[in-house]
Amino acid sequence: MFFFRNNGDNAKLNVGLMGGTFDPIHMGHLVTAEEARQQFDLDYVVFVPTGTPPHKETGKISLPEHRYLMTSLAVMSNPYFFVSTVEINSEGPTYTIDTVRHFSCGEREGPGVFFITGADAILDIFTWKEYEKLLSLCTFIAVSRPGYSLDRFWDILDRNCPGMKHKVHLLEIPALAVSSTYIRERVTLGKTIKYLTPEPVEQFIKKHGLYLSGE
Ligand code: ATP
Ligand code: MG
């Protein structure tokens, strides 16, 4: 892996990480990652599908290989987007702190790591493993998401991690109210999911009969 820009200025690379179940990946994820890439001058964005998500309580999650393949199909046309198997290949529950450590490769030498999350996920951050360490290792990009307000977030952040406000940046994105849950429900009901997710992902879902039973 290369950590420095190859353009003469030798600046550190900025890497965006986008974790998620991606069951399935959809336009909300992709628009979010692309906007974060531009606004924060990220050299690339790595999508990291979860293995056994510690925070997903309900329902059955699709096979990791299916979620990985759908994510790969979705990012195929973007030269700045990549997919990592680090979480789906790890045994047992996976935690963001471990993933961020993996990508930051030691704080000094490694690339600058930006963790991209939706507003719903950032509100949970204080329940995450070693969240203080996590805030020191990476910068968070918290993206607006319809239905979730970040108004309370700053007070809670100040109480739990004083002096860390500069490690979380808000990114307002034109509202895309799509979610994976919404897509799964539509497939179960036999409704179209065209334009909610890239076409190859739509075809993959059809081919493998995903989400038909609504379990
Ligand atoms: P589910 O409905 O199964 O929970 P999801 O659509 O929330 O799926 P996840 O895989 O849970 O997708 O989310 C991965 C990351 O993407 C999270 O940080 C989440 O907040 C963010 N995200 C998901 N959908 C959007 C959206 N429409 N706009 C902005 N961020 C989003
Ligand atoms: Mg979610």
Side-chain angles (χ1 to χ4, degrees), residues 54 77 82 93 115 135 164 197:
S77 64
F82 297 88
F115 198 86
L135 276 163
M164 283 302 206
T197 187

Side-chain angles (χ1 to χ4, degrees), residues 44 52 77 82 85 105 109 120 144 152 185 190 192 198 207:
Y44 49 92
T52 314
S77 64
F82 297 88
T85 56
C105 315
E109 319 81 59
D120 57 319
S144 57
R152 284 179 310 121
E185 284 170 0
T192 174
K207 177 171 172 176

Side-chain angles (χ1 to χ4, degrees), residues 36-84:
R37 181 184 74 77
Q38 271 225 311
Q39 291 210 23
F40 289 84
D41 195 22
L42 306 178
D43 294 278
Y44 49 92
V45 175
V46 184
F47 290 75
V48 189
T50 47
T52 314
H55 291 288
K56 276 259 154 114
E57 313 94 15
T58 52
K60 212 178 108 211
I61 298 167
S62 299
L63 292 172
E65 46 270 46
H66 280 172
R67 295 184 288 107
Y68 170 77
L69 283 170
M70 289 191 282
T71 309
S72 301
L73 288 170
V75 306
M76 209 166 43
S77 64
N78 189 322
Y80 303 104
F81 284 4
F82 297 88
V83 187
S84 164

Side-chain angles (χ1 to χ4, degrees), residues 7-154:
N7 60 359
D9 67 1
N10 240 10
K12 261 193 178 194
L13 285 180
N14 289 329
V15 177
L17 297 181
M18 176 117 187
T21 319
F22 302 128
D23 192 18
I25 188 163
H26 54 68
M27 292 311 190
H29 299 128
L30 295 163
V31 168
T32 296
E34 181 67 354
E35 190 62 23
R37 181 184 74 77
Q38 271 225 311
Q39 291 210 23
F40 289 84
D41 195 22
L42 306 178
D43 294 278
Y44 49 92
V45 175
V46 184
F47 290 75
V48 189
T50 47
T52 314
H55 291 288
K56 276 259 154 114
E57 313 94 15
T58 52
K60 212 178 108 211
I61 298 167
S62 299
L63 292 172
E65 46 270 46
H66 280 172
R67 295 184 288 107
Y68 170 77
L69 283 170
M70 289 191 282
T71 309
S72 301
L73 288 170
V75 306
M76 209 166 43
S77 64
N78 189 322
Y80 303 104
F81 284 4
F82 297 88
V83 187
S84 164
T85 56
V86 64
E87 290 200 7
I88 61 175
N89 281 346
S90 97
E91 277 175 25
T94 44
Y95 296 95
T96 303
I97 182 75
D98 303 319
T99 305
V100 167
R101 279 207 176 101
H102 172 85
F103 282 96
S104 57
C105 315
E107 285 160 73
R108 284 239 192 99
E109 319 81 59
V113 175
F114 291 73
F115 198 86
I116 308 163
T117 74
D120 57 319
I122 195 88
L123 288 168
D124 282 344
I125 188 184
F126 308 109
T127 65
W128 293 7
K129 188 181 160 200
E130 293 181 54
Y131 65 87
E132 281 169 305
K133 182 71 189 162
L134 192 57
L135 276 163
S136 74
L137 278 181
C138 69
T139 302
F140 275 83
I141 303 174
V143 178
S144 57
R145 195 173 174 186
Y148 297 92
S149 161
L150 284 169
D151 293 349
R152 284 179 310 121
F153 176 75
W154 301 110

Side-chain angles (χ1 to χ4, degrees), residues 114-213:
F114 291 73
F115 198 86
I116 308 163
T117 74
D120 57 319
I122 195 88
L123 288 168
D124 282 344
I125 188 184
F126 308 109
T127 65
W128 293 7
K129 188 181 160 200
E130 293 181 54
Y131 65 87
E132 281 169 305
K133 182 71 189 162
L134 192 57
L135 276 163
S136 74
L137 278 181
C138 69
T139 302
F140 275 83
I141 303 174
V143 178
S144 57
R145 195 173 174 186
Y148 297 92
S149 161
L150 284 169
D151 293 349
R152 284 179 310 121
F153 176 75
W154 301 110
D155 287 339
I156 308 173
L157 177 64
D158 215 25
R159 235 178 296 134
N160 285 280
C161 312
M164 283 302 206
K165 274 188 173 162
H166 67 287
K167 298 305 293 282
V168 182
H169 296 270
L170 266 193
L171 181 57
E172 292 284 338
I173 293 188
L176 259 178
V178 58
S179 71
S180 304
T181 303
Y182 179 65
I183 293 182
R184 293 194 301 270
E185 284 170 0
R186 288 186 68 90
V187 174
T188 307
L189 294 171
K191 292 185 175 173
T192 174
I193 54 165
K194 227 175 227 327
Y195 313 123
L196 296 175
T197 187
E199 203 164 327
V201 176
E202 190 194 333
Q203 287 166 356
F204 186 97
I205 291 169
K206 247 187 221 150
K207 177 171 172 176
H208 293 276
L210 303 187
Y211 317 129
L212 289 177
S213 69

